[in-house]
Amino acid sequence: MLKIKRRKTRTVKIGKVGIGSGHPVAIQSMVKARARDIEASVRQILELEAAGCEIVRLAVENPDDARALRTIKRQVRLPLVADIHFDYRLALASIEAGVDKVRLNPGNIFKPAEVKEVIAAARTARIPIRVGANSGSLRTRSRDLAADLVRSTLAYLRIFERAGFYDLVVSLKGSHVLDTIEAYRKISLRCDYPLHLGVTATGLPMDGIVKSSVALGELLFQGIGDTIRISLLAGPQQEVAVARSMLNSLGLRHFGPELVCCPTCGRCEVNLPEKAKKIEDWLTGLDPKKKRRIQRFKIAVMGCVVNGPGEAREADVGIAFSRHKGILFKKGKIVRTVGLEAGEQALLDILEGEIR
Amino acid sequence: MLKIKRRKTRTVKIGKVGIGSGHPVAIQSMVKARARDIEASVRQILELEAAGCEIVRLAVENPDDARALRTIKRQVRLPLVADIHFDYRLALASIEAGVDKVRLNPGNIFKPAEVKEVIAAARTARIPIRVGANSGSLRTRSRDLAADLVRSTLAYLRIFERAGFYDLVVSLKGSHVLDTIEAYRKISLRCDYPLHLGVTATGLPMDGIVKSSVALGELLFQGIGDTIRISLLAGPQQEVAVARSMLNSLGLRHFGPELVCCPTCGRCEVNLPEKAKKIEDWLTGLDPKKKRRIQRFKIAVMGCVVNGPGEAREADVGIAFSRHKGILFKKGKIVRTVGLEAGEQALLDILEGEIR
């Protein structure tokens, strides 16, 4: 079977999380509250951690935000990244407050003297810097957005390299899928820094999921990308859920178990969405320790006999509904048949047996 | 800017819809009601057409379903595809009823004599056939699912080619992203038939959207794929919405206008999801004729001044919210500023002006 070969990169450590080809692709998200609202920020970070987020970023808009990071840091475990724009002194203050990485935007912090001050502080604090260009904040732009992103990023990277600082992560986010793919492909050939992937300003949630999945999916499939952030105009936990689903789908990470269902058609005699939802709810409510016992499981819930038995057989446990009964499978073999109504409960009984 | 170069294929006509590299990538979906429930089927087909579906498939499980197709066909405009499994006589009956294409599954209709009868009927009716293999209904399988899909499809295609029948569309759907990508890549090098893309049995809606976007996005980006179906355990209109969003994101089709929003962070001072939703609702309610006037529009709704002005300037119309005001842009230029609360209405006023 096809396996993704990741592009070779340096390793960068964000707190305890290693980023680069020697490590799994890490999932990050961003707090949507103000950092200076410490209570809301901590609450969101804890929710993000529970959802599976591994690195979390906060916007630092003013000195109060920067100061708040110190208090937030004491109350959470996830590595914190300070998102800095316009004023390099906010980067210095955030480093002072103890963050694990700062992100600078080449489009709005560009004076070499200022960047060098941030480099010196990051070096002393032994933390990395993300060079994060966005199509929406480029200083000069032609009709070729991808080329603009790559050019401005490479020029910016030179400031760091001249200072002998290589503890870098790079991103070049566009709001278009094709620009984003092209920009990352080009930069991937020009440096060996770990790449942080994202599409910026995607749109409403459904479009955002599609755009991010298409762009980041393509790049990850090509082996490009070491940490990802899905930008959605939705709760940050949803960003993490999409990120997990994407990495799962490409076999780059395993956040199991996997639930496989058919889309249903005129052949389906049961309310499959309802039955699948019951399995999902059971999985969601499961104690994490128990869940780990079936982490690599594939669970199939199929509505008819066309692909049902085949998918169910391939799964670790599965049920295929025929016209009159549910056929239960375990590790490729039929276990028993049950009535249509009892189907999902019988599947849950098998799963309960597996986690006991 | 990067542009996708589509793989060169033959052209196949499904009713009035041309499929192949000479035509836009077509969107299809499937009726989730029984075909013999004529009223429900017609209703769903009309809804699908309104949502932007271009080809619609129905499961034909028994002779009643096949007969119903004749009545359904008279009440709808979209080309109809009969989905046939196990019993080749249902294909004959569906062709007799006047469908525009039949789909055969190599995994369960495999006797050459039976296939040849269907070929003869399709030739007489001048309709194409889809050879649609699924990982869940393969007759023999090794550990290499993609290779199995390709091998069984090529063997099946030989039956058609020996009969001098080339009016074919091909699909090889797996429930895994990597298998699906690999199978389509391989078959794309071995024939010049148009390819129907899909991931089968994806899972619950969010996973389904992600898996489909990753797999189909990657293939379409490589120029592979002539018609797509997004399989979701959700309403068929949602399948169409995702398909449109995907083709849009890759610049392969233009179903506009496009709404671009930032994900928001601690910098955002307004309820951006609510404001973006108002714009979306306005677009949804818009008369299709008027909507066409802004079909290529990009509308940006941005929550802060980091990427806001840049994205809004690049859009046809846009608003970037700063701390105290909304800055309205039109074709790259600031039009005026308004209060935070009045922002989205001011944007709608500009849009109203554009469609008048």
Side-chain angles (χ1 to χ4, degrees):
Chain A
M1 201 180 105
L2 203 140
K3 207 174 169 302
I4 292 170
K5 196 167 170 272
R6 287 178 60 198
R7 157 183 170 265
K8 216 168 148 43
T9 74
R10 290 165 188 269
T11 293
V12 166
K13 295 267 278 187
I14 305 172
K16 285 179 185 163
V17 180
I19 302 291
S21 54
H23 298 270
V25 177
I27 294 173
Q28 53 180 293
S29 184
M30 199 160 173
V31 167
K32 306 214 173 191
R34 293 174 187 85
R36 55 194 180 275
D37 184 346
I38 294 174
E39 202 186 310
S41 295
V42 168
R43 190 172 51 237
Q44 260 189 43
I45 294 170
L46 295 177
E47 283 167 4
L48 278 167
E49 184 181 14
C53 183
E54 295 160 323
I55 300 163
V56 67
R57 184 158 45 117
L58 297 106
V60 178
E61 207 178 4
N62 59 37
D64 288 343
D65 285 333
R67 262 190 300 275
L69 294 175
R70 187 186 301 275
T71 316
I72 293 170
K73 178 108 187 103
R74 276 199 296 264
Q75 297 179 41
V76 301
R77 273 170 304 211
L78 289 185
L80 301 187
V81 182
D83 197 57
I84 312 291
H85 299 273
F86 306 111
D87 186 350
Y88 79 105
R89 290 167 302 182
L90 295 171
L92 302 179
S94 300
I95 295 172
E96 174 70 31
V99 293
D100 302 289
K101 180 169 83 169
V102 291
R103 176 266 176 113
L104 300 182
N105 182 337
N108 55 38
I109 297 181
F110 43 81
K111 290 185 189 150
E114 294 181 357
V115 177
K116 280 180 201 164
E117 271 199 60
V118 180
I119 293 173
R123 200 195 311 265
T124 306
R126 301 173 146 216
I127 61 162
I129 295 173
R130 169 156 68 100
V131 169
N134 280 26
S135 63
S137 48
L138 282 167
R139 289 173 69 209
T140 56
R141 43 193 309 165
S142 65
R143 292 184 66 91
D144 188 342
L145 212 56
D148 294 343
L149 280 165
V150 172
R151 195 181 317 111
S152 76
T153 298
L154 287 173
Y156 203 65
L157 286 173
R158 245 172 272 137
I159 306 176
F160 293 81
E161 289 162 352
R162 280 193 195 127
F165 189 92
Y166 303 95
D167 205 9
L168 297 167
V169 176
V170 173
S171 69
L172 320 80
K173 303 186 185 179
S175 57
H176 287 292
V177 164
L178 294 177
D179 290 330
T180 303
I181 293 175
E182 198 181 3
Y184 277 103
R185 284 186 159 204
K186 283 187 170 160
I187 203 90
S188 76
L189 304 169
R190 303 287 296 270
C191 70
D192 68 349
Y193 303 116
L195 295 177
H196 162 126
L197 304 187
V199 180
T200 177
T202 51
L204 289 168
M206 196 270 284
D207 285 326
I209 297 176
V210 171
K211 274 186 177 179
S212 296
S213 301
V214 170
L216 274 52
E218 211 288 321
L219 288 164
L220 290 166
F221 182 79
Q222 301 297 334
I224 297 169
D226 305 288
T227 175
I228 64 174
R229 192 253 168 135
I230 311 297
S231 295
L232 296 181
L233 186 52
Q237 293 105 305
Q238 208 187 329
E239 297 189 352
V240 174
V242 171
R244 284 187 153 218
S245 180
M246 191 182 304
L247 295 175
N248 244 346
S249 78
L250 288 162
L252 286 165
R253 299 282 300 264
H254 293 280
F255 305 107
E258 186 190 4
L259 187 56
V260 162
C261 332
C262 79
T264 81
C265 68
R267 295 173 183 276
C268 185
E269 298 287 338
V270 297
N271 186 337
L272 204 73
E274 198 181 284
K275 289 180 187 292
K277 184 75 174 53
K278 277 191 201 161
I279 309 291
E280 191 197 30
D281 288 346
W282 180 84
L283 289 170
T284 307
L286 205 57
D287 173 71
K289 263 188 211 154
K290 290 187 170 178
K291 200 171 183 173
R292 228 167 284 144
R293 289 181 207 159
I294 52 169
Q295 203 195 327
R296 294 261 176 168
F297 264 46
K298 184 171 166 180
I299 304 164
V301 180
M302 302 288 293
C304 87
V305 293
V306 172
N307 303 308
E311 290 290 345
R313 202 179 299 129
E314 202 204 337
D316 295 280
V317 300
I319 186 161
F321 290 97
S322 73
R323 295 185 63 76
H324 306 293
K325 61 187 185 216
I327 308 160
L328 287 154
F329 291 84
K330 192 176 150 183
K331 309 280 178 200
K333 292 201 171 64
I334 295 179
V335 186
R336 63 194 180 99
T337 62
V338 291
L340 293 180
E341 283 318 306
E344 71 276 22
Q345 189 52 52
L347 187 67
L348 286 178
D349 291 345
I350 296 181
L351 284 167
E352 289 279 5
E354 293 290 326
I355 57 165
R356 210 166 282 144
Chain B
M1 202 181 104
L2 203 141
K3 207 175 169 302
I4 291 170
K5 196 167 171 272
R6 286 179 60 199
R7 157 183 170 266
K8 218 169 147 40
T9 74
R10 292 165 187 268
T11 293
V12 166
K13 295 267 279 187
I14 305 171
K16 286 178 184 163
V17 180
I19 301 292
S21 54
H23 298 270
V25 177
I27 294 172
Q28 53 180 293
S29 183
M30 198 160 175
V31 167
K32 305 209 175 194
R34 293 176 186 83
R36 57 195 179 275
D37 183 347
I38 294 175
E39 202 185 311
S41 295
V42 168
R43 190 172 52 237
Q44 259 189 44
I45 293 170
L46 296 177
E47 284 167 2
L48 278 167
E49 184 181 14
C53 183
E54 294 160 325
I55 300 162
V56 67
R57 183 158 47 115
L58 297 105
V60 177
E61 208 179 3
N62 59 37
D64 288 344
D65 285 334
R67 265 190 297 276
L69 293 175
R70 189 186 299 276
T71 317
I72 293 170
K73 179 113 187 98
R74 276 199 295 265
Q75 297 179 43
V76 301
R77 275 170 303 211
L78 289 185
L80 300 188
V81 183
D83 196 57
I84 312 292
H85 299 273
F86 306 111
D87 186 350
Y88 79 106
R89 292 167 301 183
L90 295 172
L92 301 179
S94 301
I95 294 171
E96 174 70 32
V99 292
D100 301 289
K101 182 169 83 170
V102 292
R103 175 265 176 112
L104 300 183
N105 182 339
N108 54 38
I109 297 181
F110 43 80
K111 290 186 188 148
E114 295 181 358
V115 177
K116 280 181 201 161
E117 271 199 60
V118 180
I119 293 173
R123 199 194 312 266
T124 306
R126 299 173 148 217
I127 61 161
I129 295 172
R130 168 157 69 99
V131 169
N134 279 26
S135 62
S137 49
L138 283 166
R139 288 173 70 211
T140 54
R141 43 192 309 168
S142 65
R143 292 185 65 91
D144 188 343
L145 212 55
D148 294 343
L149 281 165
V150 173
R151 193 181 317 110
S152 76
T153 298
L154 288 173
Y156 203 64
L157 286 173
R158 245 172 272 136
I159 305 176
F160 293 80
E161 289 162 353
R162 280 193 195 127
F165 189 91
Y166 303 93
D167 206 9
L168 297 166
V169 177
V170 173
S171 68
L172 319 82
K173 303 186 185 181
S175 57
H176 286 291
V177 163
L178 293 178
D179 290 329
T180 303
I181 293 175
E182 198 180 2
Y184 277 103
R185 284 185 160 206
K186 283 187 170 161
I187 203 88
S188 77
L189 304 169
R190 302 287 296 271
C191 70
D192 69 349
Y193 302 116
L195 295 177
H196 162 125
L197 304 186
V199 180
T200 177
T202 51
L204 290 168
M206 195 271 285
D207 284 326
I209 297 175
V210 171
K211 273 186 178 179
S212 296
S213 301
V214 170
L216 275 53
E218 211 290 321
L219 289 164
L220 291 166
F221 182 79
Q222 301 297 336
I224 297 169
D226 305 289
T227 175
I228 65 173
R229 190 253 171 135
I230 310 297
S231 295
L232 295 182
L233 185 53
Q237 294 105 305
Q238 207 187 329
E239 296 189 353
V240 174
V242 171
R244 285 187 151 217
S245 180
M246 193 182 302
L247 295 175
N248 244 343
S249 78
L250 288 162
L252 286 164
R253 300 280 301 262
H254 293 280
F255 306 108
E258 185 190 4
L259 187 57
V260 161
C261 332
C262 78
T264 80
C265 67
R267 294 174 182 276
C268 185
E269 299 286 337
V270 298
N271 186 336
L272 204 75
E274 197 182 284
K275 288 178 188 293
K277 185 76 175 47
K278 278 191 199 160
I279 309 292
E280 190 195 30
D281 289 345
W282 180 85
L283 288 169
T284 307
L286 206 57
D287 173 73
K289 262 189 211 153
K290 289 188 170 179
K291 201 169 182 174
R292 228 168 284 144
R293 290 182 207 158
I294 52 168
Q295 202 195 327
R296 295 259 176 171
F297 264 45
K298 183 173 165 179
I299 304 164
V301 180
M302 302 289 292
C304 86
V305 293
V306 172
N307 303 307
E311 290 291 346
R313 202 179 298 129
E314 201 203 340
D316 295 280
V317 299
I319 186 162
F321 290 97
S322 71
R323 294 186 63 75
H324 307 293
K325 61 186 187 222
I327 308 160
L328 288 153
F329 291 84
K330 192 176 150 184
K331 310 282 180 199
K333 291 201 173 64
I334 295 179
V335 186
R336 61 194 179 99
T337 61
V338 291
L340 293 179
E341 282 319 304
E344 71 275 23
Q345 189 51 54
L347 186 67
L348 286 177
D349 290 346
I350 296 181
L351 284 166
E352 289 279 5
E354 293 290 326
I355 58 165
R356 209 167 285 144

